[in-house]
Structures are given as structure tokens and as C-alpha cells.
């Protein structure tokens, strides 16, 4: 009988199940959940969840009657092996499930910190609800926080800790924050703004080791400086969780390799979300993205592929990050060689940066300007040619251009 088994009950996996039912899938649907919590949203864990006033509960991905009303089985357990010839999944408890379609939605794991002292108590990472709960408790008594890595999660955490009145130092090995995702212009603006707000952001300075003395932890940087800390949070990137597909003979290379319809190298097996490396029509390269947009849009697309549709995934990537009072939204993927054009006045704290590639709008980064972002999502990817002089004219608005 038709049975789709989805490995991973995160943003992407739950979306596949939801969309299968929305598309009228007639078979059974099982989602494997290897976390103890009801499937929940990760983005708030590094933002609202960490505030002193937070309730300590996670936002669920779907309402309480979702699984029952859609006839979706949420099965507790971890997939440990897949036999792709026999189409069977083995779980940690010994259960074996037969499938007609299998979806890897296993997400990503935090890249471990490799320096001496990385595993001391008080050194935290942030991915799961359990991690966030530990951090919420640690923040209640800590005074000095050192954050390792000025990526989205590091800076979101830094802003949340600073808002609670803690002393926050951020160490970043690269020369600018969020360098992997953001234009240099936007990076610089964020660096200055976080410093003005009182975060001690140190660039070109990584972690060398972590020591422990009577007073607590001491982070020693690559320049030899010593930073005493009660709490250390590291966010140094993620690794796709490919151990099960790899052992099953599914092709992987920085993620589970999928084609334009999100199918893997093995018939009947698909992959979506943080764990999937897909051909990106917007950049012309293979990409692995870590965002809610990517997880949900790929979840929808994979459901249609399972229903027999053979279309190419082509949704425009977009992202957001909330760092204290700063709401960053990005449409498209910028490249270091793009030409930045500033729209509006950065000193007002509300502006956007248009990134032009060969004269066309390739990406837009918006700070506290949600209307620009919504307009940008309609414009980016349409290969719209724009003249920098038009963009900087006082009467120009992205919203008007998107009409
Ligand atoms: P996940 O949501 O990670 O789900 C994967 C699930 O699979 C996990 O529960 C995992 O335990 C499970 N799993 C793995 N292996 C197995 C197995 N063998 N058997 C069973 N289950 C397994 N994105 C944004 O766009 N905006 C944000 O502001 C933002 N903030 C974030 C803040 C934090 C703290 C984190 C951690 C992420 C944030 N993200 C944000 C990223 C976003 O949450 C992820 O891109 C998204 O959750 C990816 O969905 P996914 O389903 O691919 O993976």
C-alpha cells in the first residue's frame, strides 16, 4: 500500500506531510520525530524565547489537532538505517517501516567547536528546544557572556543577552559579521550598530581555547586576550545530517544531493530543507540553504513530486533575522561582486540595500523596512534591469516598482 515515511519532524518534514494531504495524497503518511517535544519552530529559540519575560514554551509548528485531523502518524523514534532495495526504514527501537516514498528531512547539526575546553560546562550551542531551555536558565544567573561566531544565531543571542542587561562580547574570526549571507555594506552597518548599542564585537579575532578557573570560564582569543565568562555560546555554522542517507548509499556531498524535483540518486527517495543540496536556478550552482522559507517551499514541492508532478523547484530564497530591535530581511542571494545601492537613510535605522548584478536586481537587504522586503520578493529573480540613478532618486520606492 502507498506509504510515505518522512524522517525528521522539523519545519520541512511537517510541511511535506501537510502538503501531501493538501494535494490529495491517498496513502498513509508517517513522520518520524526523534525529539521529545511536539514539533516546534526553531526561529524564536534565539529571539523571544530568551527574553527574561518569556513563557518558556515553544511555538508548535501546527495546531493540536493537526496530526489526527489530517490522518498523519507522528511516530516517536530515530531512523537508524534504510534498505533502499527492500524499501524499509529501521528505527532505534527495532521497529521496521515499509515505504513507497521516503523523504529525508533530517535538518542540520551545529558544527562542533574544536578548541581545547569546548566541552566545559557553561559552553553552549543552540539548535533544539532543550538547548534553549538550558540557555534560558543560564542567562538568569550569568553576568558576562562570550559569543563565539557573529553569524545570525550568535548575534541574535548576543542581542537577547544584552537586552537582559548582561555584558556581551562577540568574537568573530572573519573581518565582518554575517559574512556568509550579507553584503559588506550591510555587515558594516550591523557591526557599528551593535557596538553603539553596547555589544563588544571583536572582528578578526577567533577563539583559541577555553580555560576554567575558580571564577568561571575564560575564553582565550587568537590574539591572546582573555575574556572571563559565566556563559559561552558558540554558533560556528552547521553540518547537514547525512549519516543515515550516506550509509544507505544515497549520494551526498555537503548535503543529500537532489535533482530539480528534489529527488535523490535513489528511486522513491527525496530530500528537503537544511539537509538537501539542490540545483539553485537563481545562482546556477548547487546550494544548501538553512531557512524556514527553503524548508517550507521545498516541503511543498517534494509533496507534488511524490504526487507524480515533474517540475523544477524555483522559489526565490528569502531570509530574516531579528537582532534586538533590528529586523533584517533578505530577498535573493547576494554575491561579493554585486554592486550595492543604498535606498533610504541608514542613519535613520530604516533602509534597504539593492544589490545589482549585470545591471539587474539580484538581491535586496532590508533593515526595519518590511514594505521594501515584500516588494523585493516580487522583484528579485525577475531579471529586472535598474539604473542606480533611478534607485537613489528621492521619489523612488521598491513598492511602486513592484506594482
Ligand atoms: P529541522 O527543523 O532542523 O528538523 C530536522 C529534524 O529531523 C530534527 O528534529 C532532527 O532531530 C530530526 N532528525 C535528524 N535525523 C533524524 C533521524 N535519523 N531520525 C529521525 N529524526 C531525525 N530560519 C529563518 O528563516 N529565520 C530565522 O530567524 C531562523 N532562526 C533560527 C534560529 C535557531 C536557533 C535555529 C537553530 C535555526 C533558525 N533558522 C531560522 C533556521 C530554520 O529553523 C531551519 O532552516 C529549519 O528549521 C530547517 O528545517 P528542517 O526541517 O530542514 O530541519
Amino acid at each position: 500500500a502507498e506509504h510515505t515515511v518522512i524522517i525528521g519532524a522539523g519545519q520541512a518534514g511537517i510541511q511535506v506531510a501537510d502538503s501531501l494531504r493538501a494535494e490529495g495524497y491517498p496513502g498513509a503518511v508517517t513522520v518520524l520525530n526523534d525529539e521529545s517535544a511536539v514539533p516546534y519552530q526553531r526561529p524564536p529559540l534565539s529571539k523571544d524565547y530568551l527574553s527574561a519575560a518569556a513563557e518558556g514554551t515553544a511555538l508548535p509548528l501546527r495546531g493540536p489537532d493537526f496530526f489526527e485531523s489530517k490522518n498523519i502518524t507522528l511516530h516517536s523514534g530515530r531512523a537508524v538505517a534504510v534498505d533502499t532495495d527492500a524499501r524499509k526504514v529501521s528505527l532505534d527501537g527495532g521497529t521496521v517501516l515499509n515505504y513507497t516514498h521516503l523523504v529525508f528531512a533530517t535538518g542540520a547539526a551545529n558544527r562542533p567547536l574544536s578548541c581545547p575546553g569546548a566541552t566545559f560546562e557553561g559552553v553552549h550551542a543552540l539548535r533544539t528546544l532543550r538547548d534553549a531551555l538550558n540557555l534560558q536558565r543560564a542567562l538568569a544567573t550569568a553576568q558576562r557572556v562570550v559569543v563565539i561566531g557573529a553569524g545570525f544565531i550568535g548575534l541574535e543571542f548576543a542581542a537577547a543577552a544584552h537586552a537582559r542587561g548582561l555584558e556581551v562580547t562577540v568574537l568573530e574570526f572573519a573581518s565582518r559579521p554575517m559574512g556568509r549571507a550579507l553584503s559588506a555594506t550591510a555587515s558594516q552597518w550591523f557591526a557599528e550598530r551593535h557596538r553603539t548599542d553596547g555589544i563588544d564585537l571583536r572582528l578578526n579575532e577567533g577563539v583559541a581555547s577555553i580555560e576554567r578557573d575558580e571564577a568561571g570560564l575564560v575564553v582565550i582569543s587568537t590574539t591572546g586576550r582573555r575574556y572571563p565568562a559565566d556563559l559561552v555560546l558558540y554558533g560556528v555554522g552547521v553540518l547537514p545530517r547525512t549519516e543515515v542517507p550516506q550509509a544507505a548509499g544515497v549520494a551526498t556531498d555537503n548535503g543529500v544531493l537532489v535533482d530539480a524535483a528534489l529527488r535523490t540518486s535513489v528511486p522513491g527517495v527525496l530530500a528537503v530543507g537544511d539537509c538537501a543540496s539542490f540545483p539553485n536556478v537563481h545562482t546556477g550552482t548547487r546550494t544548501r540553504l538553512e531557512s524556514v522559507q527553503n524548508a517550507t517551499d521545498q516541503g511543498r514541492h517534494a509533496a507534488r513530486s511524490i504526487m507524480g508532478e515533474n517540475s523544477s523547484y524555483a522559489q526565490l530564497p528569502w531570509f530574516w533575522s531579528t537582532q534586538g530591535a533590528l529586523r533584517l530581511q533578505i530577498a535573493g542571494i547576494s554575491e561579493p561582486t554585486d554592486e550595492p545601492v543604498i535606498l533610504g537613510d541608514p542613519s535613520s535605522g530604516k533602509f534597504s540595500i539593492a544589490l545589482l548584478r549585470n545591471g539587474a536586481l539580484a538581491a535586496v537587504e532590508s533593515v526595519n523596512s518590511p514594505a521594501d522586503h515584500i516588494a523585493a520578493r516580487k522583484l528579485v529573480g525577475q531579471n529586472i534591469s535598474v539604473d542606480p540613478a533611478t534607485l537613489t532618486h528621492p521619489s523612488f520606492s521598491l513598492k511602486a516598482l513592484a506594482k
Side-chain angles (χ1 to χ4, degrees), residues 6-14 32-35 40-47 61 77-80 105-108 110 126-128 152-153 156 241 243-244 272-275 289-296 318-322:
I6 300 159
I7 305 181
Q11 197 86 48
I14 298 296
L32 298 182
N33 183 15
D34 74 342
E35 295 190 57
Y40 60 91
Q41 302 179 30
R42 294 190 200 283
L45 301 182
S46 50
K47 307 176 184 75
L61 279 166
R78 193 164 56 86
V80 291
T106 49
N110 290 318
L126 176 50
R127 176 135 303 259
T128 64
F152 288 146
I153 289 177
E156 289 175 3
R241 292 190 61 179
E243 59 276 10
V244 177
V272 290
D274 282 14
C275 73
L289 295 174
E290 298 142 22
S291 72
V292 167
Q293 172 278 323
N294 181 68
T296 52
W318 54 266
F319 311 85
W320 83 90
S321 172
T322 308

Side-chain angles (χ1 to χ4, degrees), residues 358-369:
N358 305 320
L361 197 59
V364 176
E365 301 166 331
S366 301
V367 179
N368 293 339
S369 304

Side-chain angles (χ1 to χ4, degrees), residues 104 250-251 255-265 269-272 275-279 286-287 298:
F104 285 106
V250 177
V256 183
L257 296 176
V258 293
D259 66 11
L262 309 179
R263 291 172 302 220
T264 69
S265 60
V269 181
L270 299 90
V272 290
C275 73
S277 167
F278 66 99
R286 251 184 196 285
T287 317
Q298 290 194 342

Side-chain angles (χ1 to χ4, degrees), residues 27 38 57 139-140 153 176 275 311 323-325 403:
V38 168
T57 49
L139 282 167
I153 289 177
R176 60 188 182 90
C275 73
S311 59
Q323 300 167 19
K403 282 252 164 69

